[in-house]
Amino acid sequence: MQLGIWEISRENSLSRRYYRRIHKTWHEVTSQKSSHVDEPDFICLLGYPGRTVVYDVVLPIALRKNTEREVLLGELSARLPVPLESVYWFYQICGNGRYRICAVHREEMDRLLECAQAHSLKFDMAIPAEFAHSPEEILRVVSGDHFAEHFRPIRCQGLKTLCLFLLAATIILSGITVLLRYQDFAQEHKRLTTISSSWEKLLHEERQQFAELSADNELLQELRSAKIDTPPVSPVLTQLTAALPKTMWVTNYSQNYDFADITLSASKDESGLYNQIGETENYTIVNLRKNRGYNDTISFSIKLKLKH
């Protein structure tokens, strides 16, 4: 770690010192090497303002860290002969519950800050020289007030510039990636929209065809129920029963437009049944099957094609 110190003497002369910590020991960097010193991790402004008071305070060791500042501010307020608003204040942690509290009149501290601004100095904290006997003491000082932000040094400017450049490059590349992805999405969306439109058109046509077929089917069912142009049953049965031998009789008859299914029962086998029934002006024989059942009963299944 490196510590930089700007010191403004009582005569307003300015000096600069650098310290480097090596193995927990602080070493001052000589002025001959100061041009090669890296940027300090912490820069402190030391001054010798007038109207400054210092108090040593002992607090319980068990004091919580988050209440430390409020307790010390109360201790300082009880000891100050002037209002608390008229001073800048600091405290130093000495260990084992011991603290040093310092208060500087605002006019005195403002003159020190004006001198620092005249020299365009940048620092992290400005403290009275009473707290600056060693680098360790400086780093243990806590400022109770905040100084203007324009006094703070700008560190790692190169890295910050690089980070900003990388951030800008990332944003640009991300924008290009998003744009390309959006173009791909737009093309894919257009293709899917075209497919969806064609499917909607086909679905509409299919629904129209289905509606037409449904209407035709309803009409067909009405025509079937009306049995228009269906051959009459009576002539078919009259001719068929007339041609049957006396040992046979009709047990079942069903007709479906141009075809009729007939079941005949017989008391004995009739080998010449096909020729006996024959073909008439009302029907033709499609097929004829003979079946033997229980107790040698005989039945014939006949399919006829009816003529109009």
Side-chain angles (χ1 to χ4, degrees):
M1 180 180 179
Q2 293 198 66
L3 172 65
I5 297 176
W6 291 106
E7 184 175 359
I8 300 177
S9 67
R10 291 183 175 85
E11 294 78 20
N12 290 334
S13 61
L14 181 65
S15 62
R16 186 179 187 182
R17 300 197 306 274
Y18 285 100
Y19 291 89
R20 179 180 294 170
R21 186 166 61 183
I22 303 174
H23 300 298
K24 298 183 179 181
T25 303
W26 289 96
H27 301 274
E28 185 175 359
V29 180
T30 59
S31 58
Q32 288 80 5
K33 299 180 180 179
S34 61
S35 59
H36 303 286
V37 174
D38 296 332
E39 183 179 16
D41 301 296
F42 188 83
I43 301 176
C44 181
L45 174 66
L46 298 183
Y48 297 87
R51 290 187 284 179
T52 300
V53 292
V54 179
Y55 302 103
D56 290 323
V57 178
V58 179
L59 299 177
I61 299 178
L63 182 67
R64 292 184 179 180
K65 194 73 175 177
N66 57 354
T67 61
E68 181 181 78
R69 183 180 184 278
E70 287 75 12
V71 173
L72 291 173
L73 184 60
E75 293 288 335
L76 177 62
S77 178
R79 289 171 169 80
L80 275 179
V82 294
L84 188 62
E85 295 78 14
S86 63
V87 299
Y88 284 93
W89 72 285
F90 312 85
Y91 65 92
Q92 186 180 61
I93 304 171
C94 302
N96 296 324
R98 294 182 297 106
Y99 298 86
R100 298 190 71 195
I101 310 175
C102 178
V104 182
H105 200 279
R106 285 189 174 271
E107 293 180 359
E108 300 291 335
M109 202 68 188
D110 289 340
R111 278 196 289 268
L112 179 64
L113 295 177
E114 289 173 3
C115 182
Q117 187 170 0
H119 290 86
S120 301
L121 300 183
K122 300 293 182 181
F123 50 87
D124 297 286
M125 185 169 58
I127 62 175
E130 284 79 0
F131 283 158
H133 298 106
S134 67
E136 288 290 349
E137 288 187 1
I138 293 175
L139 296 177
R140 288 200 301 265
V141 176
V142 179
S143 176
D145 295 281
H146 297 286
F147 298 101
E149 287 294 326
H150 67 268
F151 286 117
R152 294 193 176 276
I154 301 175
R155 293 186 171 86
C156 305
Q157 188 63 38
L159 289 177
K160 291 180 180 178
T161 303
L162 178 61
C163 290
L164 290 175
F165 172 77
L166 293 176
L167 178 61
T170 302
I171 293 174
I172 293 173
L173 292 176
S174 299
I176 293 173
T177 303
V178 171
L179 179 61
L180 294 176
R181 295 291 294 174
Y182 176 77
Q183 290 178 349
D184 293 341
F185 170 78
Q187 293 177 357
E188 188 67 16
H189 182 267
K190 183 179 180 181
R191 186 179 70 85
L192 292 176
T193 303
T194 303
I195 294 174
S196 178
S197 299
S198 63
W199 284 357
E200 289 288 341
K201 184 178 179 180
L202 290 174
L203 179 61
H204 181 68
E205 293 175 355
E206 291 293 333
R207 285 176 176 173
Q208 286 183 336
Q209 293 179 4
F210 178 76
E212 293 174 358
L213 290 175
S214 298
D216 293 342
N217 183 59
E218 291 177 0
L219 179 60
L220 180 60
Q221 294 297 332
E222 291 178 1
L223 291 175
R224 283 181 176 178
S225 61
K227 297 184 178 179
I228 298 175
D229 199 28
T230 301
V233 176
S234 178
V236 176
L237 282 177
T238 300
Q239 287 188 350
L240 181 63
T241 53
L244 290 176
K246 295 181 179 180
T247 58
M248 304 184 70
W249 61 94
V250 177
T251 58
N252 184 55
Y253 181 90
S254 62
Q255 181 176 328
N256 184 13
Y257 296 101
D258 295 339
F259 294 94
D261 293 305
I262 303 170
T263 302
L264 302 176
S265 295
S267 58
K268 66 176 183 177
D269 191 4
E270 295 289 346
S271 58
L273 180 63
Y274 189 92
N275 294 326
Q276 290 178 8
I277 297 175
E279 181 177 346
T280 68
E281 67 274 10
N282 291 318
Y283 64 82
T284 58
I285 299 175
V286 178
N287 58 54
L288 187 150
R289 297 193 305 276
K290 181 171 65 175
N291 303 307
R292 288 188 179 273
Y294 181 70
N295 292 332
D296 291 332
T297 58
I298 300 172
S299 63
F300 294 88
S301 298
I302 305 171
K303 191 175 187 66
L304 301 179
K305 181 174 176 58
L306 307 180
K307 296 180 181 179
H308 296 267

